[in-house]
């Protein structure tokens, strides 16, 4: 299986399967001299790790990260810093329960990657979805934590803004609220409604889709390279590479279809500090593929988890028509744990573009 690497100058390669002994990543291109400890990475993994509430999979993984290479002691700070060599990170898988997946060994879950993996490679680690499992996204979060250290002044935050048909009220948006409920929801009232709604979905053995919003603030102007290295292009690609993602928007996104030119164009004035001020941000902080200095905003949609308890029509590896019902532990709404993953992908893209900009422009 090729294409397990992402990025150009800041490059993340992930490895490992859901039920193998461990998962890991190698980060190539991280500049030297950046303070980096396991705590810097662990705090983001804590946000993504499974089993934290009844609304996510009950697989119990501590997701304790080990830094295997790429750092050394720093005499100046008495801490440790990156050395500019490949940073290798690893997490051991602790709570594999492969027997749960015996039933799908030779059958294809509708909506999952079983059919395509089998058809393409002819051999498949079916346990927990193998390489197609979102277990891989833990290493994106770990890589994203290192990327954030390359961009110390940039703030990257994500939130769940829609679960099923229930959208947040954007007037209630409070970033602090995202830490007060199990959904990373910025609207307290919506979070209360989602709790009941998701309880019903979960108890029924069903699943539901969701929309995640990621905002990066204090992004320097000028990141991104036309015409095939546009910042928005790379963000879209990064978000689309997350498991279960079926759509990505930048700025006003699909809503801009209903706007007039007057409504959509972000007007510009000069601020008192002599810097340009944009009067709105429909562009999501990117014009012509290059960052404007405004917040970079993006949204992505995740489909409902395909592993559900209701039998669905499918086929097995021999072509027999069968009914598939997926036992095992699953996220009733993958959108919740996709929030820290989206933040990480944003960090990885921005760090890569930051280094690419520096490489070309000095
Ligand atoms: C954070 C996260 C958790 C996920 N958990 C599950 C899960 O428990 N069960 C499942 O069937 N799919 C889960 N998925 C989705 C599958 O990994 C994904 O649907 C599958 O790999 C097929 O890829 P595709 O949906 O992108 O086509 C999860 C996705 C994310 C982002």
């Amino acid at each position: 299986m090729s294409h397990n690497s992402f990025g150009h100058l800041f490059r993340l390669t992930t490895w490992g399967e859901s039920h193998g002994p461990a998962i890991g990543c190698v980060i190539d291109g991280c500049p030297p001299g950046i303070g980096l400890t396991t705590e810097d990475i662990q705090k983001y993994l804590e946000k993504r790790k499974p089993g934290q509430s009844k609304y996510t999979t009950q697989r119990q993984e501590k997701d304790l990260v080990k830094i295997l290479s790429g750092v050394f002691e720093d005499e100046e700070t008495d801490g440790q810093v990156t050395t500019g060599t490949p940073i290798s990170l690893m997490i051991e898988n602790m709570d594999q329960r492969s027997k749960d997946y015996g039933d799908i060994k030779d059958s294809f879950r509708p909506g999952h990657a079983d059919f395509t993996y089998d058809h393409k490679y002819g051999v498949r680690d079916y346990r927990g979805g193998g390489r197609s499992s979102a277990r891989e996204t833990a290493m994106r979060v770990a890589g994203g934590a290192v990327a954030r250290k390359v961009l110390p002044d940039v703030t990257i935050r994500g939130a769940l803004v829609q679960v099923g048909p229930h959208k947040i009220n954007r007037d209630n948006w409070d970033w602090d609220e995202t830490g007060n409920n199990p959904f990373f929801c910025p609207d307290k009232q919506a979070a209360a409604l989602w709790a009941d709604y998701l309880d019903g979905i979960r108890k029924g053995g069903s699943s539901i889709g969701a929309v995640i919003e990621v905002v990066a603030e204090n992004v320097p102007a000028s990141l991104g390279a036309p015409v095939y290295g546009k910042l928005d292009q790379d963000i879209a690609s990064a978000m689309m590479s997350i498991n279960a993602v079926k759509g990505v928007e930048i700025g006003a996104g699909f809503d801009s279809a209903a706007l007039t030119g007057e409504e959509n164009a972000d007007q510009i004035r000069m601020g008192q500090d002599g810097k340009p001020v944009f009067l709105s941000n429909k562009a999501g902080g990117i014009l012509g593929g290059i960052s404007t200095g405004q917040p970079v905003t993006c949204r992505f949609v995740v489909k409902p988890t395909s592993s559900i308890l209701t039998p669905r029509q499918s086929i097995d590896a021999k072509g027999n028509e069968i009914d598939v019902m997926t036992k095992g532990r699953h996220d009733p709404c993958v959108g919740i744990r996709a929030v820290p993953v989206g933040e990480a992908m944003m960090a990885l893209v921005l760090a890569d573009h930051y280094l690419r900009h520096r490489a070309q422009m000095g």
Side-chain angles (χ1 to χ4, degrees), residues 164-314:
H166 304 294
K167 294 184 184 179
I168 61 157
N169 178 349
R170 297 185 80 86
D171 293 338
N172 295 343
W173 192 298
D174 177 359
W175 278 114
D176 289 341
E177 272 306 317
T178 57
N180 294 339
N181 59 72
F183 312 113
F184 304 113
C185 177
D187 171 2
K188 195 174 177 178
Q189 286 169 19
L193 189 150
W194 292 354
D196 286 343
Y197 176 71
L198 277 173
D199 242 352
I201 296 280
R202 186 180 61 86
K203 286 182 184 150
S206 186
S207 66
I208 194 73
V211 178
I212 295 97
E213 185 159 325
V214 180
V215 181
E217 287 162 301
N218 218 17
V219 176
S222 295
L223 303 193
V227 289
Y228 298 118
K230 290 180 176 171
L231 188 60
D232 39 0
Q233 166 194 351
D234 285 353
I235 291 171
S237 170
M239 300 306 172
M240 194 57 111
S241 77
I242 301 171
N243 314 41
V245 172
K246 282 294 178 190
V248 184
E249 297 182 319
I250 308 287
F254 281 84
D255 283 349
S256 52
L259 299 179
T260 61
E262 292 83 352
E263 290 165 331
N264 187 62
D266 303 315
Q267 300 186 77
I268 315 176
R269 283 290 180 232
M270 285 310 290
Q272 288 187 338
D273 57 358
K275 290 186 185 155
V277 176
F278 290 84
L279 305 186
S280 56
N281 190 16
K282 301 283 195 309
I286 303 170
L287 289 170
I290 301 172
S291 60
T292 61
Q294 282 203 289
V296 172
T297 63
C298 121
R299 270 176 304 283
F300 58 91
V301 59
V302 287
K303 69 188 191 185
T305 326
S306 57
S307 304
I308 48 175
L309 284 178
T310 312
R312 302 275 84 193
Q313 294 176 1
S314 186

Side-chain angles (χ1 to χ4, degrees), residues 112-113 132 134 242-244 303 305-307 329-331 334 337-338:
H112 215 291
S132 74
I242 301 171
N243 314 41
K303 69 188 191 185
T305 326
S306 57
S307 304
R329 301 159 295 177
H330 300 287
D331 288 283
V334 306
R337 293 171 59 230

Side-chain angles (χ1 to χ4, degrees), residues 112-157:
H112 215 291
D114 306 333
F115 168 74
T116 47
Y117 270 52
D118 215 65
H119 197 266
K120 184 176 177 83
Y121 300 109
V123 53
R124 172 169 64 98
D125 180 350
Y126 61 85
R127 303 163 306 161
R131 183 73 181 151
S132 74
S133 163
R135 184 100 193 95
E136 184 268 347
T137 62
M139 297 326 297
R140 299 171 184 236
V141 173
V146 181
R148 286 179 195 257
K149 301 238 47 179
V150 177
L151 305 159
D153 299 330
V154 177
T155 303
I156 299 167
R157 294 182 288 193

Side-chain angles (χ1 to χ4, degrees), residues 9 224-225 355-362:
L9 292 194
L355 297 178
R356 285 157 73 179
H357 174 69
R358 211 165 63 171
Q360 188 189 12
M361 307 304 290

